[in-house]
Amino acid sequence: MKKLKTTLIYILSSISLLCCCFAGLGILLALPSFLIAHKKLKEATLNPEEYDIDDINGMSTAKTFAMITLIINGLYFAFNIYKFLTMDWDVFMEDFNSILEQFKG
């Protein structure tokens, strides 16, 4: 019996969930974790006699978690792109400069 290891998928998905705060850039980790889980699950469903049913269920759960983090990151990434494209640059620069002055003292 072959083992399906879900550790990498959970690690990538968890880190991507934390990275969604950075303009949705966690999508760079969420997408590979989802693709890895999808590939491993497809491989296991094509040859079910080679894998334990608990491993297949665990990989299915990991794929679901990866998909959820991918959706969250994708939505946040799309929101940030929309916000970036529709903002008023003069107001943004004024806010940026005022924050910069606050840090200078």
Side-chain angles (χ1 to χ4, degrees):
M1 290 262 170
K2 294 181 182 178
K3 294 286 286 179
L4 289 173
K5 297 181 182 178
T6 60
T7 308
L8 177 65
I9 296 162
Y10 280 121
I11 290 172
L12 288 174
S13 297
S14 298
I15 293 172
S16 76
L17 194 58
L18 295 173
C19 290
C20 81
C21 299
F22 303 109
L25 292 179
I27 201 167
L28 298 173
L29 296 173
L31 184 61
S33 68
F34 177 75
L35 294 175
I36 291 168
H38 181 70
K39 179 184 172 192
K40 294 290 185 181
L41 192 59
K42 186 176 180 181
E43 179 182 309
T45 54
L46 290 176
N47 300 317
E49 63 277 351
E50 294 182 14
Y51 297 95
D52 188 27
I53 190 69
D54 292 333
D55 288 342
I56 294 173
N57 290 339
M59 185 56 71
S60 178
T61 304
K63 181 182 174 185
T64 303
F65 181 59
M67 183 176 19
I68 290 169
T69 60
L70 181 63
I71 291 169
I72 290 170
N73 278 292
L75 289 173
Y76 199 66
F77 185 71
F79 170 74
N80 279 303
I81 287 180
Y82 172 76
K83 185 178 166 185
F84 180 73
L85 293 175
T86 59
M87 79 167 91
D88 185 14
W89 282 102
D90 295 330
V91 173
F92 173 75
M93 290 308 292
E94 287 175 14
D95 290 343
F96 181 76
N97 288 331
S98 68
I99 291 172
L100 202 61
E101 288 175 12
Q102 288 176 359
F103 282 116
K104 287 183 180 179

